[in-house]
């Protein structure tokens, strides 16, 4: 499995987790577009992804809720994926 296949799988799962969230449709769309970009231009997509990790309202700020309830298991999984994705893309950038 190539590194971009694992990036794709991580992004896909993150999108799935965002879909069960009460909000965050813009993040869902942004990550889905990045999946496509990684296939066409991995270097550009890597740069774009890394820029999503800084500042207010960044990928790091996402907390998953549904019906006003914190989704603890899903948040933990999302956090692990977010960290792994950052590390993987950072090493290849």
């Amino acid at each position: 499995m190539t590194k971009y296949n694992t990036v794709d799988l991580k992004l896909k799962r993150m999108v799935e987790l965002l879909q069960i969230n009460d909000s965050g449709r813009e993040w869902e769309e942004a990550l889905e577009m990045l999946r496509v970009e990684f296939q066409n231009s991995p270097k550009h997509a890597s740069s774009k992804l890394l820029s999503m990790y800084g500042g207010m309202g960044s990928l790091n700020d996402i907390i998953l809720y549904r019906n006003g309830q914190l989704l603890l298991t899903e948040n933990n999984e999302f956090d692990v994926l977010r960290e792994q994705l950052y590390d993987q893309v950072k090493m290849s950038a």
Side-chain angles (χ1 to χ4, degrees), residues 2 16 21 24 32 37 39 83 93:
T2 70
E16 289 170 353
N21 191 32
E32 190 60 49
E37 238 179 286
Q39 295 170 7
E83 187 177 318

Side-chain angles (χ1 to χ4, degrees), residues 17-32:
L17 289 168
L18 287 167
Q19 289 172 340
I20 62 173
N21 191 32
D22 281 341
S23 62
R25 298 298 171 241
E26 62 279 349
W27 279 112
E28 188 181 317
E29 292 169 10
L31 294 182
E32 190 60 49

